[in-house]
């Protein structure tokens, strides 16, 4: 009997321990910085914040209490640990503890683009003169890479810079290729919720793709299933790469992200590429990515971050702190073309990466639209009737991540082909997806006409012709529908996103992955096409590295300014860049414009910001002294300094919230062009808005000379324009046009 009771007691203890284990959660603990704690004593100091050992903590792994997962020291003072609710509450009351952040998981913001951006090989091009980003280190936070891929070969690469302090975790993995003069560092960060011993080898394909887009070396004869053939390279093909695996497949723990950022700063990277979606609304002192990247900026590191893939919803932009470059996604002029021809002779162009040689060109097959009945599942081809066998099926998009699956469903029902039509909000943005059957992705306008044709005739038919790679597709560039839109909820008075880069159907290096199971066994698939702000972000990271290589003394703000003020607002046909509906794209969709690298390396004037310049702006946000302290790690008394509005920050764009009174803002520019340069102000605004610039002429006697000016904005008429207004201030010299967007938000945004 006693033995039985003992067993019951033991089981009860084990159950209690198990429940305690289950109730523990992961937290990032943000601490008050201390100057008297040396590097060798940091972890011991962090452990001093942990509660004393309890039966539950003993069950969790020993007398040291809850396990510390990471100790942070470069981008955040604090640590990550597993705590029960009671332990977390107790820690919040400890002196020196600023805030606890529960673990959250952030999603990934998932050959021709160098040429489309004007990057050409040759002795006369700035790309060659810059050494292709030579000597600059790009730190990439993502899913790791496939190090054996030829894009990561080190032909023509110099050795790592002397400042480099990073480590390589590939060397113990047989057959991976290891580190070299291209990939000079690689580390994996796995929190308690994932495999903590996993190497930094890519298990999703995403990191390999983004890393090669930023800084992949030259690889000839690159293509995807015979499409988009050419020489593949990143934007900075001779820059070094440092890989920080902080995501496993599509899950990115905030604890791992902060650890990766901490390591990147310690290791000595120059540029951080961050293709991970982040909060679209948290104020900055609650946003660990914003806090960590502020410290990176303090160390002189340029941060390029994805705007997110939640467009076209207004106010969906993420990674919106003004010390980051926030990157939107646009198209290029390359299409993997398909053409749908209806039985009545109408033709509609679309796209598909599936380009069979023996296709149905000219063969009219029965065409059916299961969604005509109004059933939403049938409209998206989630379910299909049995009579689709041998027919071309019209399906409405269920979202960009489900396009291939929709084709797989049609294929499973023995359909002969699929026409995938956009939903209304997706407009004209079409994807070159790797379908498993003959397919064509068409716009909503085209899809609606096809649906109307099906309804109009008792025996509708269609054929799909495959045209392969087509250059010169128009309009180009345009903003992709999924690209997240401003204004930023955390700081609506700063224009976000900042800029647009190529993010549609981008060909880059590939690693077999479970995220694309249809190709996981295809070792011949060395390159693949992906779309997202994940793809546009490394374009800007690589271009920033090229600028850094040419101008090593420029600050992160000066590089951002060069990119923004030199960007394009006109497409390759010379008309205004369009959004996914083929309407004129707003600055809240594309930022300042579409990146123009050849002009960005020689911008003429730049708007600079030192780390201290952000403090009056943060005070003006109304987050309080503690909020500013959490971001800057400095004791600030906002009441004793002159706080500024968002519009007064020396940013390259201006958001002026006009009500009834005129608003004047001050800006300072630095001459990075020639001595003796003279610039004249040219204002391009709608007639409803009056803009006055004083002085109207800037004369620079010397290089690096700074001059200030004021911009006064007022309504020209008696009634404010409820819809808002957009225009530009241009400083024009014989050699340069330095353009700053001016945005007067709609009345509902101002309110």
């Amino acid at each position: 009997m006693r033995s039985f009771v003992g067993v019951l007691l033991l089981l009860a203890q084990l159950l209690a321990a198990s429940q305690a284990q289950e109730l523990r959660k992961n937290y990032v603990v943000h601490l008050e910085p201390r100057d008297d704690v040396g590097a060798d004593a940091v972890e011991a100091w962090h452990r001093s914040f942990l509660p004393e050992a309890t039966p539950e903590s003993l069950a969790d792994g020993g007398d040291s209490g809850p396990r510390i997962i990471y100790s942070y020291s470069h981008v955040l003072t604090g640590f990550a640990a597993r705590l029960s609710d009671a332990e977390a509450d107790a820690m919040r009351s400890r002196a020196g503890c600023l805030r606890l952040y529960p673990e959250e998981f952030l999603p990934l913001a998932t050959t021709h683009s160098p040429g489309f951006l004007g990057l050409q090989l040759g002795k006369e091009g700035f790309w060659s003169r810059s050494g292709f980003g030579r000597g600059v280190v790009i730190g990439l936070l993502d899913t790791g890479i496939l190090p054996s891929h030829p894009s990561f070969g080190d032909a023509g690469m110099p050795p790592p810079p002397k400042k480099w302090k990073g480590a390589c975790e590939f060397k113990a993995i047989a057959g991976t290729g290891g580190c070299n003069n291209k990939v000079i560092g690689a580390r994996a960060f796995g929190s308690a919720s994932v495999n903590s011993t996993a190497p930094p080898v890519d298990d999703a394909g995403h990191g390999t793709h983004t890393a090669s887009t930023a800084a992949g070396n030259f690889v000839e004869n690159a293509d995807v299933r015979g499409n988009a053939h050419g020489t593949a390279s990143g934007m900075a093909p001779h820059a070094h790469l440092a890989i920080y695996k902080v995501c496993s497949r599509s899950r990115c723990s905030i604890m791992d992200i902060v650890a990766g950022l901490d390591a990147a700063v310690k290791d000595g990277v120059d540029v951080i590429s961050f293709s991970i979606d982040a909060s679209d609304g948290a104020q900055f002192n609650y946003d660990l990515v914003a806090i960590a990247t502020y410290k990176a900026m303090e160390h002189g590191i340029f941060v390029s971050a994805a705007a997110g893939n939640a467009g076209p919803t207004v106010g969906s932009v993420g990674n919106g702190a003004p010390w980051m470059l926030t990157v939107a996604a646009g198209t290029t002029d390359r299409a993997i073309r398909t053409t749908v021809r209806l039985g009545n002779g109408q033709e509609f162009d679309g796209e598909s990466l599936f380009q069979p040689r023996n296709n149905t060109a000219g063969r009219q097959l029965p065409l059916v639209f299961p969604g005509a009945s109004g059933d939403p599942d049938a409209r998206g081809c989630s379910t299909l009737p049995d009579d689709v066998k041998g027919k071309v099926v019209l399906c409405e998009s269920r979202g960009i991540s489900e396009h291939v699956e929709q084709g797989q469903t049609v294929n499973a029902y023995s359909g002969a082909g699929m026409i995938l039509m956009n939903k209304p909000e997706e407009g004209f943005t079409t994807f070159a997806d790797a379908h498993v059957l003959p397919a064509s992705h068409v716009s909503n306008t085209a899809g609606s006409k096809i649906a109307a044709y099906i309804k109009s005739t008792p025996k509708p038919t269609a054929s799909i012709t495959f045209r392969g790679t087509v250059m010169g597709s128009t309009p180009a560039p345009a903003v992709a529908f999924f690209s997240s839109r401003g204004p930023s909820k955390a700081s609506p008075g700063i224009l976000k996103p900042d800029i647009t880069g190529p993010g549609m159907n981008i060909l880059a290096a590939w690693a077999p992955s479970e995220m694309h199971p249809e190709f996981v066994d295809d070792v011949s698939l060395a390159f693949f096409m992906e779309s997202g702000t994940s793809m546009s972000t490394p374009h800007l990271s690589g271009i920033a590295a090229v600028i850094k290589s040419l101008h090593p003394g420029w600050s992160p703000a000066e590089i951002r300014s060069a990119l923004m003020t030199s960007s394009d607002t006109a497409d390759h046909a010379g008309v205004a860049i369009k959004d996914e509906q083929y309407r004129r794209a707003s600055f809240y969709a594309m930022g300042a414009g579409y990146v123009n690298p050849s002009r960005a390396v020689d911008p003429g004037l730049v708007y600079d910001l030192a780390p201290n310049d952000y403090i009056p702006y943060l005070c003006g946000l109304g987050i309080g002294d503690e909020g500013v302290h959490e971001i800057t790690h400095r004791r600030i008394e906002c009441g004793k300094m002159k706080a500024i509005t968002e519009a007064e920050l020396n940013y390259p764009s201006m958001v002026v919230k006009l009500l009834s009174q005129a608003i004047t803002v001050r800006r300072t520019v630095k001459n990075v062009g020639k001595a003796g340069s003279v610039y004249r102000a040219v204002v391009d605004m709608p007639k409803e808005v009056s803009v006055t610039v004083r002085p109207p002429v800037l004369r620079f006697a010397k290089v690096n000379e700074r001059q200030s000016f004021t911009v006064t904005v007022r309504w020209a008429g008696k009634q404010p324009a409820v819809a808002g207004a957009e225009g530009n201030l241009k400083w024009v010299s014989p050699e340069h046009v330095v353009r700053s967007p001016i945005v007067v938000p709609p009345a509902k945004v101002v309110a």
Side-chain angles (χ1 to χ4, degrees):
M1 184 67 178
R2 290 181 180 177
S3 175
F4 179 69
V5 172
V7 170
L8 288 177
L9 288 172
L10 178 60
L11 288 173
Q13 291 172 346
L14 290 173
L15 178 61
S18 175
Q19 290 173 336
Q21 175 89 2
E22 291 174 1
L23 290 173
R24 292 185 180 279
K25 301 172 185 174
N26 294 337
Y27 290 88
V28 173
V29 182
H30 193 179
L31 301 178
E32 181 82 37
R34 279 179 52 178
D35 296 331
D36 59 343
V37 178
D40 56 346
V42 168
E43 188 165 343
W45 173 50
H46 291 169
R47 285 195 175 278
S48 72
F49 280 84
L50 299 175
E52 294 182 3
T54 64
E56 291 82 5
S57 64
L58 289 171
D60 193 33
D63 57 7
S64 60
R67 181 168 64 89
I68 286 184
I69 302 170
Y70 297 116
S71 284
Y72 308 124
S73 57
H74 292 84
V75 298
L76 189 80
T77 300
F79 57 91
R82 299 186 67 246
L83 303 169
S84 68
D85 289 344
E87 291 165 340
D89 288 340
M91 192 170 293
R92 288 186 180 96
S93 64
R94 287 283 304 272
C97 179
L98 294 177
R99 191 180 302 278
L100 267 64
Y101 301 83
E103 182 181 29
E104 61 176 322
F105 289 90
L106 305 181
L108 295 166
T110 205
T111 57
H112 173 55
S113 48
F116 182 73
L117 295 173
L119 301 177
Q120 305 290 347
L121 291 171
K123 294 181 180 180
E124 301 305 317
F126 85 89
W127 203 27
S128 300
R129 287 189 287 105
S130 74
F132 306 108
R134 191 179 182 91
V136 177
V137 182
I138 301 175
L140 193 108
L141 278 73
D142 214 293
T143 62
I145 63 165
L146 181 65
S148 58
H149 196 284
S151 290
F152 306 125
D154 62 355
M157 293 289 303
K162 293 181 179 180
K163 67 172 184 176
W164 179 246
K165 302 174 184 177
C168 179
E169 295 178 359
F170 282 136
K171 56 187 177 183
I173 309 165
T176 61
C179 290
N180 54 23
N181 286 334
K182 164 58 71 176
V183 181
I184 62 174
R187 295 184 61 185
F189 298 87
S191 68
S193 57
V194 289
N195 182 2
S196 60
T197 62
V201 175
D202 192 358
D203 59 2
H206 192 274
T208 297
H209 198 282
T210 56
S212 66
T213 300
N217 215 333
F218 296 100
V219 180
E220 296 181 352
N221 300 315
D223 63 43
V224 184
R225 300 290 171 84
N227 298 299
H229 185 273
T231 297
S233 79
M235 298 295 101
H238 285 176
H240 303 288
L241 280 169
I243 304 302
Y244 302 91
K245 181 175 180 176
V246 298
C247 306
S248 180
R249 297 180 178 89
S250 61
R251 285 166 56 90
C252 312
S253 167
I254 190 64
M255 297 192 307
D256 299 338
I257 290 169
V258 176
L261 290 168
D262 203 63
V265 172
K266 178 183 178 182
D267 293 344
V269 306
D270 301 297
V271 174
I272 287 174
S273 191
F274 190 75
S275 289
I276 301 172
D277 211 345
S279 168
D280 64 358
Q283 63 185 44
F284 297 139
N285 58 310
Y286 288 92
D287 182 347
L288 282 170
V289 173
I291 294 170
T293 53
Y294 180 90
K295 299 304 290 183
M297 175 273 300
E298 275 196 325
H299 284 82
I301 298 170
F302 181 88
V303 180
S304 174
N309 297 338
T313 303
V314 173
S316 57
V317 66
N319 290 318
W323 43 87
M324 292 188 269
L325 182 79
T326 309
V327 186
T331 65
T332 69
D333 67 345
R334 180 180 64 194
I336 313 300
R337 180 64 53 77
T338 58
T339 300
V340 173
R341 182 179 177 85
L342 303 181
N344 63 2
Q346 291 186 87
E347 291 189 350
F348 303 97
D349 287 337
E351 293 199 71
S352 174
L353 196 56
F354 183 95
Q355 295 273 324
R357 294 180 181 177
N358 297 319
N359 58 60
T360 61
R363 287 182 54 207
Q364 288 288 317
L365 298 175
L367 175 62
V368 62
F369 182 29
S373 64
D375 180 353
D377 288 336
R379 190 175 182 88
C381 295
S382 297
T383 60
L384 291 173
D386 293 332
D387 64 354
V388 302
K389 183 177 180 179
K391 299 177 181 178
V392 177
V393 183
L394 177 64
C395 304
E396 185 179 68
S397 167
R398 300 201 305 256
I400 58 179
S401 64
E402 298 190 44
H403 290 170
V404 173
E405 182 181 333
Q406 289 178 264
Q408 290 171 336
T409 301
V410 174
N411 193 51
Y413 279 79
S414 300
M418 177 180 70
I419 300 172
L420 183 68
M421 62 178 284
N422 275 343
K423 292 183 285 190
E425 63 269 22
E426 296 169 348
F428 290 87
T429 301
T430 56
F431 295 79
D433 288 313
H435 292 291
V436 297
L437 81 171
S440 179
H441 185 187
V442 300
S443 69
N444 175 259
T445 297
S448 298
K449 291 179 180 179
I450 295 170
Y453 160 72
I454 294 172
K455 187 177 180 180
S456 71
T457 181
K459 293 184 178 181
T461 61
S463 65
I464 302 176
T465 304
F466 300 92
R467 310 284 189 187
T469 304
V470 175
M471 311 301 292
S473 178
T474 59
V479 179
F481 87 84
F482 56 78
S483 188
S484 291
R485 306 303 208 260
S488 163
K489 293 176 183 175
S491 185
I494 299 293
L495 180 63
K496 291 289 179 172
D498 290 306
I499 199 165
T500 299
M504 276 298 303
N505 301 326
I506 302 302
L507 183 146
W510 184 249
S513 78
E514 294 180 13
M515 290 182 73
H516 287 273
E518 63 270 26
F519 301 123
V520 72
D521 296 323
D522 189 348
V523 295
S524 68
L525 193 67
F527 295 89
F528 198 60
M529 280 188 173
E530 291 277 38
S531 300
T533 53
S534 278
M535 283 66 246
S536 55
T537 297
H539 278 88
L540 271 297
S541 306
I543 295 166
V546 171
I547 296 173
K548 183 75 172 177
S549 179
L550 282 170
H551 305 287
W554 282 12
S555 70
E558 289 174 317
I559 295 173
R560 179 182 59 230
S561 173
L563 290 164
M564 292 174 63
T565 61
S566 64
S567 63
D568 293 325
T569 58
D571 67 15
H572 283 199
V575 299
I577 290 174
K578 296 177 174 61
D579 65 12
E580 75 287 346
Q581 303 295 342
Y582 285 177
R583 301 170 303 206
R584 184 184 185 121
S586 76
F587 288 132
Y588 284 128
M590 67 176 178
Y594 201 93
V595 63
N596 187 321
S598 59
R599 289 211 300 260
V601 296
D602 181 23
L605 304 175
V606 291
Y607 296 79
D608 195 11
L609 282 165
N612 283 344
D613 294 330
Y614 292 98
I615 294 175
Y617 153 80
L618 290 170
C619 285
L621 288 181
I623 61 176
D625 294 355
E626 284 301 314
V628 177
H629 174 54
E630 288 174 294
I631 297 168
T632 64
H633 288 189
R634 306 180 197 181
R635 277 293 165 198
I636 302 296
E637 293 185 59
C638 289
K640 293 185 178 180
M641 69 166 52
K642 186 181 184 301
I644 63 173
T645 64
E646 295 157 296
E648 293 174 291
L649 186 67
N650 198 46
Y651 214 68
S653 55
M654 306 174 201
V655 178
V656 183
K657 300 177 182 179
L658 277 184
L659 294 174
S660 57
Q661 300 296 318
I663 292 179
T664 298
V665 297
R666 180 185 177 89
R667 290 290 189 272
T668 300
V669 289
K670 184 170 86 171
N671 177 32
V672 293
K674 298 177 181 177
S677 295
V678 178
Y679 290 83
R680 287 175 169 79
V682 176
V683 175
D684 175 21
M685 287 293 292
K687 61 182 181 180
E688 294 86 2
V689 179
S690 169
V691 177
T692 304
V693 182
R694 292 284 184 265
V697 178
L698 298 177
R699 304 177 187 274
F700 296 91
K702 300 178 293 183
V703 176
N704 294 327
E705 180 183 351
R706 298 173 189 263
Q707 289 200 32
S708 298
F709 60 92
T710 61
V711 180
T712 301
V713 185
R714 60 171 57 85
W715 293 115
K718 295 181 179 180
Q719 296 296 325
V722 176
E726 293 186 351
N728 296 282
L729 164 63
K730 302 173 185 177
W731 286 106
V732 180
S733 77
E735 293 85 19
H736 299 98
V737 176
V738 186
R739 182 181 56 83
S740 289
I742 300 176
V743 176
V744 179
K748 61 181 180 180
V749 175
V750 174

